[in-house]
Amino acid sequence: MNIKSLITACVLGIFATAAHAEIKEGTDYVLLKKPIPQLNADKIEVTQFFAYFCIHCKNLDPVLLQHSRSFPQDTYLRNVHVVWDENAITMARIAAAVNASGTLYQANPAIFDAMFTRGADNRPTYNLNDPATFKSWAASKGAWGNAVVRAFDSPTNLAEAKNMEKMTFEYGINSTPQVMVGGKYQLNLSNNFAADMSRLDELIAKVRKERNMATPKAKKATLGAGAALAVQANQ
């Protein structure tokens, strides 16, 4: 082998080693002090704690939603809106309605955009924290918006939001966004959310290996999102 070939082989070897480097505790993830029960214990849950009023959540959301489309059949996404005080209950109700209606892919981008849209006076154009304003705004969006409104008005909606509030405090969620895997690990997010998705996949694989789960099948079809993915998890 000549010098050029040897150098090339060494460089490729370095890249290959880096590509398959195992994620490390403390650097890439941390072990949760208190495990989070999953909606489906037979599958791997990716739990996102987020807030519609959080700009970092707005930036992560499209990346995570798109990546969740590639999750295999043994993995699903669950979205939990944080509730730090009563002012966030309406937003949690909105998140619960989006989950229940299976409209996450349509609703979340629009809700985040509305939350961060400012008028000429630099004040929010829409006060979605007001239930009447939210329902009027959502109804103007057509079929998916009407589905969210129906879920928002359902008898179980407030209880679902209250459960999000309970989870916020029970698991010590004091910042957003946070992404947990398998109810056991928290992914350490960086400033590059797109790059974080490969580490998320590795963490999912780690949980799968620890549970001695079978090699997963590719997802046959993408459901709406949120609770729709959770429904898939129960099938």
Side-chain angles (χ1 to χ4, degrees), residues 25-187:
E25 183 175 356
T27 300
D28 300 298
Y29 68 91
V30 295
L31 180 67
L32 294 178
K33 294 180 179 179
K34 184 175 182 178
I36 301 174
Q38 301 189 147
L39 292 176
N40 188 329
D42 294 330
K43 298 194 177 185
I44 302 172
E45 178 176 292
V46 175
T47 314
Q48 178 189 204
F49 287 91
F50 80 107
Y52 283 125
F53 48 78
C54 165
I55 186 60
H56 302 296
C57 300
K58 180 180 186 296
N59 294 333
L60 172 63
D61 193 70
V63 177
L64 183 57
L65 288 189
Q66 180 60 34
H67 192 69
S68 71
R69 294 177 183 270
S70 69
F71 284 168
Q73 290 185 344
D74 68 351
T75 305
Y76 65 97
L77 175 65
R78 176 186 184 186
N79 282 304
V80 180
H81 196 288
V82 296
V83 182
W84 289 314
D85 55 50
E86 286 299 314
N87 292 327
I89 281 292
T90 297
M91 303 312 299
R93 289 187 62 193
I94 292 172
V98 169
N99 288 346
S101 59
T103 59
L104 189 61
Y105 286 101
Q106 302 97 328
N108 261 26
I111 294 170
F112 273 116
D113 283 345
M115 288 293 293
F116 286 90
T117 296
R118 296 291 189 270
D121 58 359
N122 202 36
R123 298 182 64 180
T125 303
Y126 305 99
N127 179 19
L128 299 189
N129 201 42
D130 173 66
T133 300
F134 167 72
K135 290 195 286 185
S136 176
W137 172 86
S140 71
K141 300 301 179 181
W144 69 259
N146 286 315
V148 173
V149 171
R150 288 193 295 272
F152 187 90
D153 287 335
S154 72
T156 60
N157 178 258
L158 181 57
E160 291 168 1
K162 286 291 187 180
N163 185 56
M164 291 182 180
E165 180 180 32
K166 178 182 177 182
M167 291 180 69
T168 299
F169 288 98
E170 186 171 357
Y171 301 107
I173 309 301
N174 54 21
S175 64
T176 53
Q178 292 191 28
V179 177
M180 321 303 193
V181 179
K184 183 177 181 180
Y185 301 114
Q186 178 181 335
L187 175 67

Side-chain angles (χ1 to χ4, degrees), residues 181-229:
V181 179
K184 183 177 181 180
Y185 301 114
Q186 178 181 335
L187 175 67
N188 285 339
L189 294 167
S190 69
N191 293 324
N192 187 338
F193 292 145
D196 290 338
M197 295 303 100
S198 63
R199 295 190 298 118
L200 173 59
D201 287 341
E202 291 183 62
L203 202 50
I204 291 170
K206 176 179 174 63
V207 171
R208 184 181 295 118
K209 182 178 180 180
E210 290 175 349
R211 296 183 184 177
N212 294 316
M213 296 172 67
T215 301
K217 296 180 180 178
K219 188 180 296 180
K220 295 180 180 178
T222 300
L223 300 181
L229 289 171

